[in-house]
Amino acid sequence: MKFPAFSYACPTSLAEAIELLNDDEDSRPLAGGQSLLPMMALRVAAPRMLVDLGNIEALRQSVVLPDSMRIGAMATHAMNAASFDIWMHFPLMAQALHHVAHQAVRNRGTFGGSIAHADAGAEMPLVVSALDGVLLLDGQSGQRTLPASEFFQGHYTTAIEPGEILTGVEIPFSDMDWAFEELSRRPGDLAIAMVAAGVSVEDGVCSQARLMLGGISDHPIRAVEAETYLIGRELTPNVIRAAAGMSAAGIHARSDTHASADFRLSLATTLMRRALTQLATGAI
Amino acid sequence: MSKSEIAQIRPKSIGTSIPRREDPGLLTGRARYIADIVLPDMLHIAILRSPVAHGRIRHIDVAAAQAMPGVELVWTGQDCVARCPGITSSLEQAGFAVTVQPLLAHDEICFVGEGIAVVVAHSRAQAEDALERIDVDIEELPVVTDALTAVDGADLANAAVASNMIYHSNRVTDPVDEAFASAALTVEGRFKTPRVNASPMETRGFVASHDWTSAALTCWSATQMPSFIKTMIAIFLQFPEQNLEVITPAVGGGFGQKAHLHPEELLVCMLSIELGRPVSWIEDRQENLFRAPQAKQQLNEMALAVDNDGRFLALRDRVTTDSGAYNSLPWTPLVEGHAGILVATDPYRISALSAESLSVATNKCPIGAYRGVGFSAPTLAREVLIDRAARKLGLSPFEIRRRNVIRQEDFPYQTRAGMMIREGSFLETVDRLEAMVGYEDFRKRQQEARKEGRLLGLGISIFSEISGIGTRALNFLDYPLTSHDTATVRVEPTGKVTVTTGIVTSGQGHPTTLAQIAADAFGIPVEDVTILAGSTHHAVGFGTVASRSAVFGAGTIGRAAEIVRGRMRAVAARLLQATSDEIEMAQGLVHVRDDPGRGMPFAAVAGAAYFAEATHPEDFDPALEATAAFDPSDIVLANGGHAVIVEIDLETCMARVEKMYAVEDCGRMINPMIVEGQIRGGMAQGVGMTLLEELIHDDRGQLTTSTFQDYLLPTSRDIPDIEISHLETPSSLVPGGIKGMGESAMISTPAAVAGAVNDALACFDVAIEQFPASPQRIFEALSEAAVLDGASLPN
Ligand SMILES: Cc1cc2nc3c(=O)[nH]c(=O)nc-3n(C[C@H](O)[C@H](O)[C@H](O)COP(=O)(O)OP(=O)(O)OC[C@H]3O[C@@H](n4cnc5c(N)ncnc54)[C@H](O)[C@@H]3O)c2cc1C
């Protein structure tokens, strides 16, 4: 478990980093290294060149805008977990961060790294998808943005082009209430199944709903049918049960060492019901 | 004098929780482990490991690897076999199939991870780079992964093992049919324990340095069995044993995994001899998961016949051990199912036992020892069945055990497998556990929780532990081996004591507990004792395995000290004008019995023996140094019990441990704090084995749980509070009344966790017999019982 040989650069500007990445097509950005370095030690990945993003100050910064917040790609999970702005504006994210790894890993692992890595069991891709985040990319041919729904394509697969860097995610403020539920084998493990549920309730009925499932399929999935069903309905136990059942219907679930597809679908229903129940009862 | 003679030791430091003297070094990172051994000119190796589970090497080309930067040497199996045919592992038992495990495969490959070639380079990284350049062409052969079907299957896992049967035994064949036919109740099940890896924090490692000028071979090994390793190097490599030293640095946990002769160890020796330079092998975590001895995979098909009053009539067990492709040395797969079945009835009066054991070869890593080896699986099966019987008869799990445990009036009690139980506190253990758990309250709480959709379960396990395993115990377990230790005790001129022992430590606190024993043997302060260990130049030891070091430490140090004490008494008798028999040693004094006023400091007597001939009696032998061996005259049996409460989330199928309890009776405790540390660690491992850990092989023999992301060790967040209570029934076979206890928690915690899971699900008539009880397995069991859809809880 020793790294294969590679060269290493630690630029201080984004432009420099992009240039370095494009100089060598076998190069990879290095963020917190919590996923990439183990893969290299196991020799599953062997990039010739690592471009460390750690010294690019701009990538670490997060800014609160009038209607949204831009979170820097290089903000660590620990920074985000301690961020008052995130706690205020995105309680969903604050909740989900409790489930990301352990303190030592959160101290190094980054928001952007997690999103770029796109593990199907990772929390941040689900959060960003649920909150309609817009992914900010920068590369040789300039900047571009992508909605989360187009960004996450599969387990370890995203729309990032070779040579591109994810600089951050802009997340609009949400006026919904949010709940998060997850099951993993041990506290801090990647999720077997997780859900993010957001609702607004007006005059006793649901006026807005956003239901997302993570870990079930190879990328975050939106339960559109269940969302539609909730609109105009009161969040009674029966309605919740029906919506939860609908949310998992028809999903092509993945199956691995820890959970079969059937089990994942059953978990999706359970976790969605629990999340909606939390929202209905205010028991967050 | 007999090697089982019991010296007199008067407990004083024994029984106190003094801090561990080795901790300052361990806790501040100053202790030196195998990876800290850095020698001038040292080379590093990396081993190419087989990607297929069964095959034949057609062709192997190492030229490109040889040409890589920093590479000194590349060897294949052909290079090795010319120098050493491999590790032959046999047992003198009729029908036992011998295997020879090559140090590197040269023809047949029998499991994923088996070594194929080795690169020696200036750094481990360079060696790994070179591995990628080795070109191997392997013809794949049919793979045998399931021990059950392997027995009748046409395919062989290892061409040397006919019918894949390493050993088949029907050692105890009491007629049980009648008991089962007439029993009011029969409970039975097919219990599968997982294949696991002990996963010590420090992986395996070995450094060898051959000095051609002196023809000496010095080795450093992260091992539990240095004396054994030394002799095996001498035998397998035909190396003169007097020129060999095996040094044991600080060892970061062993748990049995480091109690084997590993092929890599011989390989490193050969490479150092070949190159005339020190060679180091530090195993990485992935190698450890693939190749370090794996453990515990048994199927117990067990049945228990019970009468109307809940009394056990007969036990039938057929155990199949998934043994892997080669026999480990020295244990062989018999250490799992076969050893286990011989204690299957243990803490209970069961008058008929029918026990059949099969050790079956498969294309997996060889199975070996891991804490509680052999015993965890049958204990789990038996205790879960006992709970089941209790439920069917409407008895409490404590009551049914009370009715069956071996009691005071039964001692000495001979089990059907032939073990003599002389003493124990089985009944007290049941009572104590019941009080700790608060049984009635628990059942009420369980009822309440069910109303909220939470499933609580209580599991109990009562065990006995064959500790201090010496020759008698090994013979009982069908190992025709001899196992004794020696220690040398020397009283220095200033009255300080130096003990050299063959006992090595892998974190259990031996430097502290052995010093406590030696201090009490001489009646001096523990600070005055030094323990020298960790080199085969010291005393001889069988190894730190099988909960034996407390017993052998007390036995050897006690006997050697007695010899030295006799000489000191003779000097003191002269000085104090008394007879030798009247002289006692206590509180740093040597004095006339019942008259501490007529005495002198211990150091003064030592000084007199060294420096004042005038004080010597006639024909005095002034050597205040003696070496003695010890081997207990029979099996030293410890006992105790565990209780575990789990909570299962009915919908997510997740089981979590809420609380754990232990009752331990290891005779007189040397250091209660250390005893409790052993219990806590073992209980955590027990939770791992029953809820989390599993090495999963697919049907091609590929290990799918190949990193700690998928092989799930329990973390501190998975282990709840542990409450511990002690009973003390002294052993009559060991000085000070000491017994061993290192394995107890891992023998019986798995049973208690398994019982708790089953208790939680019993309200649905759902049973879990395959472990770990992962959410997936609980989901499947509940789905099959159509519980999940309804999701209404019975009261
Ligand atoms: C023990 C352990 C437990 C963990 N548990 C969890 C968990 O429960 N939940 C969870 O979500 N994660 C978990 N992780 C993963 C952790 O969150 C990682 O930090 C994260 O997935 C990757 O972030 P990183 O900053 O370490 O990225 P790196 O490992 O440095 O990079 C990951 C990948 O993303 C690419 N990359 C990184 N940054 C950028 C960028 N700005 N632009 C383009 N590409 C980029 C890299 O090239 C690489 O391919 C765990 C990790 C460990 C070691």
Side-chain angles (χ1 to χ4, degrees), chain A residues 1-2 4 42-43 183-187 189-190 257-260 262-263 266-267 270-271 273-274, chain B residues 124 128-129 132 284 286 649 651-652 654 656 691 696 708-710 712-713 717-718 774-776 779:
Chain A
M1 287 174 71
K2 300 286 180 211
L42 292 166
R43 300 196 176 221
L183 184 85
S184 60
R185 287 293 297 274
R186 298 170 301 185
D189 280 346
L190 289 156
T257 315
H258 302 297
S260 65
D262 280 352
F263 181 33
S266 159
L267 285 172
T270 296
L271 297 179
R273 203 194 69 240
R274 289 185 180 179
Chain B
R124 168 86 186 200
E128 285 188 23
D129 289 345
E132 296 184 343
D284 69 27
Q286 192 155 52
D649 180 327
E651 292 176 318
T652 63
M654 184 77 177
R656 293 209 136 266
L691 294 183
I696 301 173
F708 277 169
Q709 192 173 341
D710 289 320
L712 307 177
L713 290 170
R717 293 172 71 184
D718 300 293
S774 61
Q776 175 72 35
F779 171 77

Side-chain angles (χ1 to χ4, degrees), chain A residues 3 9-10 15 51 54 61-62 65 81 91 109 113 127 135 159 169-170 183 185 190 193 196 202 232 245 259 270 279:
Chain A
F3 298 133
C10 192
V51 180
Q61 279 155 13
S62 300
L65 304 168
V127 166
L135 293 105
V169 183
E170 187 167 331
L183 184 85
R185 287 293 297 274
L190 289 156
E202 272 170 45
T270 296
L279 293 167

Side-chain angles (χ1 to χ4, degrees), chain B residues 612-688:
Chain B
E613 194 183 53
T615 65
H616 296 180
E618 229 164 289
D619 293 334
F620 180 62
D621 178 348
L624 293 195
E625 171 168 327
T627 299
F630 182 74
D631 187 4
S633 62
D634 201 351
I635 291 173
V636 178
L637 204 68
N639 70 273
H642 296 92
V644 168
I645 296 174
V646 301
E647 178 173 337
I648 297 177
D649 180 327
L650 176 60
E651 292 176 318
T652 63
C653 302
M654 184 77 177
R656 293 209 136 266
V657 184
E658 181 197 90
K659 180 88 202 233
M660 306 205 282
Y661 306 85
V663 173
E664 176 73 45
D665 185 346
C666 55
R668 184 163 283 121
M669 287 185 281
I670 304 172
N671 185 318
M673 173 190 74
I674 289 179
V675 168
E676 295 193 355
Q678 291 290 311
I679 293 172
R680 289 177 207 283
M683 290 191 86
Q685 288 173 316
V687 171

Side-chain angles (χ1 to χ4, degrees), chain B residues 69-87:
Chain B
V71 172
E72 288 284 333
L73 186 71
V74 183
W75 266 2
T76 65
Q78 291 298 343
D79 300 304
C80 281
V81 73
R83 293 166 171 87
C84 168
I87 297 177

